[in-house]
Structure formats: C-alpha cells, structure tokens
C-alpha cells in the first residue's frame, strides 16, 4: 500500500498507539493523518509555515505533536485534526519531538542547540536544556520516563554526541 498526498518529501511518520491511524510530516508544511488499514487520507493538518520535520503521538493517542522548520511545535487534537496550541521558544528549526511515557511532558530538539521540555496539557515551557554545541537532531524518553536522550551534531560540527538528562 502506498499513501500518496504530500507534495514534497516526507520527513517523519508515527503510528497512533492504537495502530489505526498513521501521521506523516512533510516538507510541504503539512501533517497528514491516514487510515492505517485502508491507506485513505483522513485529513490534512495545516498551520506550519515551513517543513515539518518530526511527528509523534502522545501515549494515549489523543494528541499529536509536530516540529517544524518554522521554529514551532504544534499540538493537534488527533480525533478532529484541530490545532490545540502552538509552542514557541526555539530560535531555529525544530528537528525532533517526543512525548514522555506518561504523556504529560513533551520534549523538542532544535537547531538552536537546545532541548525544551513542555507541559503537554498547557503548552507552557517547563525548561530548556543546554549543553550541546551543535543542532539537536533527535530526542527520546526512556520507557520509564526517568531519562531523556538527545542526539546532536552535523557534518560541520564536532559535537556528534548523545546526552542523557535526568
């Protein structure tokens, strides 16, 4: 099955935890939701103004996060496709988003060399983790949520590291 509908490169995909819906983020600035069984496009989420680099569902499947080159993270209602909030604070493109296992915290990694932690319910920034000397390309929580890993680096920088945050 091939899911077609984006007009530019697809940079990220994520299954809803129930396995019924797939989200895709694209350089066409959209997030699309697909019926995983039929491959039918359910809706197109529009709100980002530049490429969408990362998408991730909350553990309960009710919220979808997207990170973009427009330097924002957006939270979407996964059932209706409506935008719940726009999280602003990064000063460079957002390359990765990840929910903590309890769904209460969202992490985002950016080209501004920071990892930001957000309250997923309110959208408020809880903290900014600094220490990387290059863009943060990836963020992921441990299964118990006690540790956050971030990966950094670029061909032009010597950071090329993974940091673990408690």
């Amino acid at each position: 099955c091939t899911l077609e509908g984006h007009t530019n490169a697809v940079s990220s995909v994520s299954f809803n935890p129930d396995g019924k819906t797939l989200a895709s983020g694209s350089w066409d600035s959209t997030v699309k939701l697909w019926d995983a069984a039929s491959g039918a496009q359910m809706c197109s989420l529009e709100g980002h103004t530049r490429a969408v680099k990362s998408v991730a569902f909350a553990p309960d499947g009710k919220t979808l996060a997207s990170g973009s080159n427009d330097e924002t993270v957006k939270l979407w209602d996964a059932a209706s496709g409506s935008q719940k909030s726009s999280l602003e604070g990064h000063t460079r493109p957002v390359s990765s988003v990840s929910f903590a296992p309890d769904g209460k915290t969202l992490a985002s990694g950016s080209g501004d060399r920071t990892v930001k932690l957000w309250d997923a319910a309110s959208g408020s920034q809880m903290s900014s983790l600094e220490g990387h000397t290059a863009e943060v390309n990836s963020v992921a929580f441990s299964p118990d949520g006690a540790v956050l890993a971030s990966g950094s680096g670029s061909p032009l920088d010597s950071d090329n590291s993974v940091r673990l945050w408690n």
Side-chain angles (χ1 to χ4, degrees), residues 2-57:
T2 302
L3 311 182
E4 296 178 346
H6 284 293
T7 59
N8 207 326
V10 175
S11 53
S12 182
V13 293
S14 178
F15 274 102
N16 188 307
D18 68 10
K20 296 179 181 177
T21 304
L22 178 73
S24 58
S26 168
W27 281 75
D28 66 10
S29 305
T30 68
V31 175
K32 296 194 183 298
L33 297 180
W34 309 88
D35 180 293
S38 70
Q41 182 179 315
M42 297 162 51
C43 62
S44 182
L45 313 182
E46 298 181 7
H48 284 295
T49 58
R50 294 184 65 201
V52 176
K53 300 294 289 298
S54 182
V55 293
F57 279 99

Side-chain angles (χ1 to χ4, degrees), residues 10-137:
V10 175
S11 53
S12 182
V13 293
S14 178
F15 274 102
N16 188 307
D18 68 10
K20 296 179 181 177
T21 304
L22 178 73
S24 58
S26 168
W27 281 75
D28 66 10
S29 305
T30 68
V31 175
K32 296 194 183 298
L33 297 180
W34 309 88
D35 180 293
S38 70
Q41 182 179 315
M42 297 162 51
C43 62
S44 182
L45 313 182
E46 298 181 7
H48 284 295
T49 58
R50 294 184 65 201
V52 176
K53 300 294 289 298
S54 182
V55 293
F57 279 99
D60 66 6
K62 294 180 180 178
T63 302
L64 175 71
S66 57
S68 169
N69 279 359
D70 66 11
E71 302 173 3
T72 68
V73 174
K74 297 200 183 294
L75 297 179
W76 309 88
D77 181 292
S80 69
S82 64
Q83 184 178 311
K84 295 168 67 171
S85 56
S86 182
L87 314 182
E88 299 181 9
H90 283 295
T91 58
R92 297 291 310 268
V94 177
S95 54
S96 184
V97 292
S98 179
F99 281 95
D102 65 6
K104 294 179 180 178
T105 304
L106 176 72
S108 58
S110 168
D112 64 11
R113 304 176 180 180
T114 68
V115 174
K116 297 200 182 297
L117 298 178
W118 309 88
D119 181 297
S122 70
S124 62
Q125 184 179 314
M126 297 163 44
S127 61
S128 182
L129 308 177
E130 299 179 8
H132 284 293
T133 60
E135 60 196 69
V136 178
N137 299 310

